[in-house]
Amino acid sequence: MNAGQQMTRRLASRAGQSICRSCRDSISRNTYATAAAAAVQTEDQLAQHIPPVAQASPSTSYAVNAGVVLSRPPQITRDLHPFEAAFFLYQRRLNERLALPFTRYFYFKKRTAADLEWKRKMKQRLTPARDIGRYQGYGDEAWNDEVLIGAKESDFEHQVGKLLEDVERSGLEDASEPTGAHKIEREPVDRPMPRVTEADEKNDTKSLNRALQRTLYLLVKNKEGQWQFPQDRLKDEHLHGAASRIITHAGGVNMNTWLVGHTPIGHYQLDYPEARTSGDLKEHGAKTFFLKARIMAGQVNLKENKLGLQDFKWLAKDELRKEVDGSYWRSIKNMLAER
């Protein structure tokens, strides 16, 4: 006799009367479900006390490496988008339009040296601000100050050239300048450095004086001929100490570098085709944990490097992708800055 039949008889005996068939079947079904749930719960509870079985041998392991993502940050601001350049030109022209109604005597007293210089320069350049092109704030055409698409006035290099030209002119070019002891000596004008360097033109990937608008990363060729970040195996040291050692052993002592933090910014796992024996352990692969670093001054020198490195390059993110292996790139791409 099962548990459901026993419960049915007990209920019938307590009530002193018989139970209809539908009620008896319902009681039996509920009892079976309850008993099954209790049995499953009991089995689950017992299973929780079973110790887990080790899936791998205790002698199986991975080699642990430390890697360094050494970067040079951008040195100059990025080039303006054409829309940004047009907007800034519009702002300067708007400022000039608002400033023109004020008389110059608000700024300069009549017949002073500053007033005479203002008159001379205005006569030559025909506008208060040379870099934004000619604009006449009075008359029927005062409203016509829009810049056409492709106009040279919106070009950054044109604006810089016009500003330098304005600084170099004294306003006396049309007049006969004095000679001898009374000749006017002009101060030299410092010109801005070009945004495109000689290293850019030669595509010198070993120079840090290139791609000044981008972040450059140090990529080295190891003794197996693979391009990767500088790395080496841990040797009874923590990651931060290993990263500091790797920088010196890879690039020499003539670099002023700074390790940004003690926490890895990412890792790369390499699985060997066949297990390798290292002492008493069988290594199935290597795991490299990368720390972030900056170079402040100096340059890489591989002549006395202790890691067997063959070559190096300073590359931006999109350039670096073309040099490294596909699986390596998928592991490191989120650690690198787009600009």
Side-chain angles (χ1 to χ4, degrees):
M1 182 180 297
N2 56 34
Q5 293 174 344
Q6 292 178 357
M7 182 172 291
T8 302
R9 289 194 173 185
R10 285 197 299 269
L11 292 175
S13 61
R14 289 177 184 177
Q17 58 184 3
S18 61
I19 301 177
C20 66
R21 184 175 179 178
S22 62
C23 294
R24 184 171 62 251
D25 294 340
S26 175
I27 293 174
S28 300
R29 286 195 300 270
N30 292 339
T31 304
Y32 295 152
T34 305
V40 172
Q41 184 177 5
T42 304
E43 292 176 358
D44 292 341
Q45 292 174 351
L46 292 176
Q48 293 177 359
H49 297 284
I50 299 176
V53 179
Q55 299 296 330
S57 173
S59 60
T60 302
S61 66
Y62 278 80
V64 179
N65 300 330
V68 181
V69 182
L70 182 61
S71 62
R72 186 224 66 188
Q75 304 296 297
I76 60 176
T77 57
R78 62 176 178 83
D79 290 334
L80 293 178
H81 187 274
F83 178 81
E84 294 175 318
F87 177 76
F88 292 142
L89 177 61
Y90 164 76
Q91 289 289 332
R92 289 196 294 273
R93 284 198 164 189
L94 180 61
N95 180 71
E96 183 181 9
R97 174 182 286 188
L98 295 176
L100 275 179
F102 290 96
T103 176
R104 67 175 183 275
Y105 300 130
F106 181 82
Y107 306 99
F108 311 114
K109 291 184 178 181
K110 290 184 178 181
R111 294 181 294 277
T112 60
D115 183 34
L116 295 176
E117 182 181 1
W118 171 269
K119 289 180 180 180
R120 287 195 298 267
K121 288 197 172 185
M122 279 296 297
K123 183 179 179 181
Q124 290 178 346
R125 63 188 182 186
L126 304 176
T127 180
R130 177 182 284 277
D131 62 315
I132 65 175
R134 183 177 178 181
Y135 169 65
Q136 180 57 254
Y138 303 99
D140 297 335
E141 295 294 324
W143 59 272
N144 189 14
D145 63 341
E146 298 296 332
V147 179
L148 299 178
I149 296 177
K152 60 182 180 180
E153 286 81 10
S154 62
D155 183 65
F156 175 77
E157 297 296 335
H158 173 79
Q159 295 172 5
V160 172
K162 287 298 182 181
L163 288 174
L164 291 173
E165 180 183 341
D166 189 56
V167 173
E168 292 173 346
R169 301 189 66 166
S170 65
L172 299 174
E173 285 76 11
D174 297 336
S176 58
E177 295 188 5
T179 59
H182 301 286
K183 186 177 181 179
I184 299 176
E185 296 292 339
R186 300 181 183 177
E187 295 182 0
V189 177
D190 294 330
R191 294 184 173 271
M193 297 294 293
R195 297 175 67 86
V196 178
T197 64
E198 182 180 357
D200 287 318
E201 297 173 353
K202 295 182 179 180
N203 195 25
D204 184 6
T205 56
K206 287 183 171 57
S207 174
L208 282 168
N209 193 30
R210 63 177 289 269
L212 300 181
Q213 305 178 38
R214 305 289 303 279
T215 300
L216 297 182
Y217 298 94
L218 175 63
L219 203 66
V220 296
K221 181 187 286 188
N222 61 16
K223 53 187 176 182
E224 288 83 15
Q226 298 174 336
W227 287 99
Q228 60 183 11
F229 292 132
Q231 67 179 49
D232 194 17
R233 188 161 182 164
L234 289 183
K235 301 177 181 179
D236 297 329
E237 56 194 346
H238 49 73
L239 285 174
H240 190 271
S244 179
R245 173 180 60 82
I246 290 169
I247 292 176
T248 303
H249 286 184
V253 297
N254 294 325
M255 291 193 302
N256 182 6
T257 58
W258 168 50
L259 280 168
V260 177
H262 292 71
T263 305
I265 60 175
H267 84 286
Y268 168 64
Q269 178 174 323
L270 174 64
D271 295 320
Y272 300 148
E274 297 181 359
R276 303 177 183 177
T277 302
S278 176
D280 298 333
L281 301 178
K282 285 187 177 181
E283 297 178 350
H284 287 257
K287 295 183 179 181
T288 304
F289 296 88
F290 297 100
L291 273 72
K292 183 178 181 181
R294 295 283 199 189
I295 180 169
M296 317 304 293
Q299 179 57 289
V300 177
N301 186 358
L302 298 182
K303 290 183 178 180
E304 299 180 359
N305 82 88
K306 301 179 181 180
L307 303 180
L309 303 179
Q310 305 177 31
D311 200 0
F312 75 94
K313 293 181 180 180
W314 289 100
L315 302 177
K317 181 177 181 178
D318 52 348
E319 299 170 333
L320 188 146
R321 181 178 184 178
K322 303 175 184 178
E323 300 291 343
V324 299
D325 183 71
S327 60
Y328 193 82
W329 167 253
R330 287 189 291 272
S331 298
I332 66 172
K333 62 180 181 179
N334 292 331
M335 302 187 300
L336 311 180
E338 293 291 341
R339 175 179 173 264

